[in-house]
């Protein structure tokens, strides 16, 4: 699959076959990492993080270093000339001559798309506001593929903040490409999926969608339970956040009646929504998910850079 030179801004930028080729390569690298340990020799990855991150930035860095490349970048835009008022366009027009691939997180929706329009090297959206987070989606999908063998015929439940959760938006959009997926959307009424995503889903009349505020009522039907953090930073007022922040707290008691092969996923960071007693529950796979994200990102960058073993 030739993805050389492409940007990855929105999950819809890639076809199902293209996404699947990234996942397949990611799992191949996971099984045989030493065969890929120098494929990015001579390549430099630039990280432009205008918003906090642990996993996304460091897993991209780990991915590039594990392929023999080098990394540069910033994790606090206030230490750069952004603080002097430099535009995204000018920042990109400079950095695309310092690096071969750019990874960008920004609080403003659409900022990575804008960056891609000024960049001569591939740009990857590492999260833009409450909009999209497509490389997290690759992390989520590679985990489902690893544990379930295939991404089809699954009831995937999303629980928590479906309004502001960009990981939810990207994963739902991408799962519409896969066969026989049922969506169970569990949220308080204030945090239901956004209107634009609802319109997207209406294009797929065959997809079954269940909307509810009750996890307990549906736990026995679910194959994948994707828990999410209530996104405090996207709320317009503190009072509303406080009212909703503990809407769902998953613990072992809540799994009564759940399938034995349920997967509990979470993009992390978690706050209160998964109790610590869940961490050694065999169905909890959120830390393995974060680990597999490194391999999904290795595959993504290898393909966008057009490097092979
Ligand atoms: N999942 C995720 O995006 O985590 P970080 O915010 O730590 O990068």
């Amino acid at each position: 699959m030739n993805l050389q030179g492409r940007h990855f801004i929105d999950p819809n930028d890639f076809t199902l076959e293209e996404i699947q080729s990234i996942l397949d390569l990611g799992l191949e690298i996971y099984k045989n990492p030493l065969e890929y340990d120098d494929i990015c020799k001579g390549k430099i990855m630039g990280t432009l993080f205008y918003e906090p991150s642990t996993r996304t930035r460091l897993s991209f860095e780990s991915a590039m270093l594990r392929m023999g490349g080098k990394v540069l970048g910033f994790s606090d835009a206030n230490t750069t000339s952004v603080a002097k008022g430099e535009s995204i366009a000018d920042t990109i027009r400079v950095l695309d001559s310092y690096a071969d691939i750019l990874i960008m997180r920004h609080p403003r929706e659409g900022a990575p798309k804008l960056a891609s329009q000024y960049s001569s090297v591939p740009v990857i959206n590492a999260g833009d506001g409450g909009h999209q987070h497509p490389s997290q989606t690759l992390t989520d999908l590679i985990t489902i593929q690893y544990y379930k063998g295939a991404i089809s015929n699954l009831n995937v439940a999303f629980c928590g903040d479906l309004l502001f959760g960009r990981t939810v938006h990207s994963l739902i959009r991408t799962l519409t490409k896969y066969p026989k997926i049922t969506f169970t959307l569990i949220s308080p009424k204030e945090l239901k999926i956004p209107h634009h995503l609802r319109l997207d889903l209406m294009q797929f009349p065959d997809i079954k969608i269940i909307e509810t505020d009750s996890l307990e009522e549906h736990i026995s039907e679910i194959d994948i339970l994707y828990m999410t953090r209530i996104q405090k930073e996207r709320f317009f007022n503190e009072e509303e956040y406080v009212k909703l922040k503990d809407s769902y707290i998953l613990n072992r008691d809540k799994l009564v009646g759940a399938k034995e092969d349920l997967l509990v996923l979470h993009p992390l960071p978690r706050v209160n929504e998964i109790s610590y007693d869940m961490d050694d529950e065999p169905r909890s796979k959120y830390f393995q998910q974060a680990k597999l994200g490194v391999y999904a990102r290795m595959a993504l960058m290898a393909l966008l850079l057009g490097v092979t073993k």
Side-chain angles (χ1 to χ4, degrees):
M1 188 67 69
N2 184 0
L3 300 180
Q4 187 172 0
R6 300 262 297 271
H7 303 294
F8 189 38
I9 304 299
D10 185 291
N12 282 338
D13 289 345
F14 289 171
T15 63
L16 173 58
E17 291 70 30
E18 289 168 338
I19 288 169
Q20 202 50 47
S21 72
I22 300 167
L23 304 182
D24 292 343
L25 178 59
L27 288 173
E28 155 68 16
I29 299 173
Y30 180 60
K31 287 178 198 143
N32 303 293
L34 294 181
E35 291 185 22
Y36 296 85
D37 66 0
D38 66 353
I39 59 170
C40 283
K41 197 163 176 222
K43 300 290 185 192
I44 297 175
M45 180 191 81
T47 51
L48 295 74
F49 276 64
Y50 295 76
E51 216 186 38
S53 168
T54 298
R55 273 145 296 275
T56 309
R57 184 172 66 84
L58 296 176
S59 66
F60 267 114
E61 289 196 6
S62 176
M64 182 49 83
L65 294 170
R66 283 167 193 266
M67 295 190 291
K70 294 193 165 74
V71 302
L72 56 79
F74 59 82
S75 56
D76 177 0
N78 289 321
T79 63
T80 73
S81 287
V82 171
K84 301 173 203 160
E86 186 167 44
S87 68
I88 289 174
D90 284 359
T91 303
I92 295 296
R93 280 189 280 215
V94 172
L95 289 186
D96 74 352
S97 58
Y98 296 174
D100 301 292
I101 189 163
L102 298 173
I103 319 300
M104 183 186 206
R105 170 171 287 189
H106 202 285
R108 237 178 46 225
E109 299 187 1
K113 173 83 182 163
L114 178 72
S116 72
Q117 288 161 352
Y118 289 93
S119 178
S120 61
V121 302
V123 174
I124 297 174
N125 178 3
D128 59 330
H131 190 218
Q132 300 289 344
H133 194 347
S135 75
Q136 178 65 45
T137 295
L138 297 178
T139 297
D140 306 334
L141 292 176
I142 201 171
T143 309
I144 297 172
Q145 173 135 345
Y146 181 76
Y147 286 104
K148 293 287 186 191
I151 306 168
S152 67
N153 208 15
L154 295 169
N155 184 329
V156 184
F158 294 85
C159 180
D161 185 349
L162 312 191
L163 178 63
F164 297 118
R166 59 193 174 196
T167 66
V168 172
H169 306 159
S170 286
L171 183 54
I172 289 179
R173 273 195 187 197
T174 310
L175 282 171
T176 61
K177 300 176 197 289
Y178 284 86
K180 295 190 184 161
I181 303 294
T182 295
F183 292 113
T184 301
L185 306 177
I186 306 164
S187 71
K189 65 178 187 322
E190 294 89 342
L191 297 176
K192 287 182 169 188
I193 58 167
H195 186 59
H196 66 82
L197 185 55
R198 194 172 296 279
L199 290 179
D200 280 357
L201 286 174
M202 283 163 66
Q203 293 171 31
F204 303 93
D206 294 340
I207 292 181
K208 189 172 170 198
I209 300 170
I210 300 156
E211 279 195 282
T212 177
D213 61 5
S214 170
L215 173 59
E216 286 83 350
E217 272 177 31
H218 295 275
I219 189 71
S220 64
E221 302 148 20
I222 296 167
D223 299 297
I224 313 287
L225 176 54
Y226 194 91
M227 295 297 296
T228 63
R229 178 176 65 89
I230 307 293
Q231 306 273 303
K232 181 179 185 184
E233 64 275 30
R234 313 270 177 236
F235 274 73
F236 301 111
N237 71 69
E238 175 85 11
E239 197 184 324
E240 186 76 353
Y241 169 72
V242 169
K243 186 179 95 183
L244 296 170
K245 72 183 175 68
D246 292 327
S247 298
Y248 302 97
I249 300 177
L250 184 66
N251 56 30
R252 282 172 178 259
D253 294 343
K254 304 259 172 65
L255 290 187
V256 172
K259 293 184 180 178
E260 281 307 309
D261 61 351
L262 171 75
L263 293 186
V264 179
L265 303 184
H266 191 308
L268 305 177
R270 76 170 144 189
V271 184
N272 269 342
E273 60 281 358
I274 298 184
S275 150
Y276 282 85
D277 77 345
M278 284 291 298
D279 292 355
D280 54 3
E281 149 67 50
R283 290 168 283 189
S284 296
K285 300 296 184 199
Y286 28 92
F287 291 118
Q288 289 88 338
Q289 181 185 359
K291 178 177 177 178
L292 283 164
V294 173
Y295 299 91
R297 290 175 171 118
M298 288 169 83
L300 173 64
M301 288 196 287
L303 287 164
L304 299 189
L305 288 166
V307 294
T308 49
K309 64 170 175 157

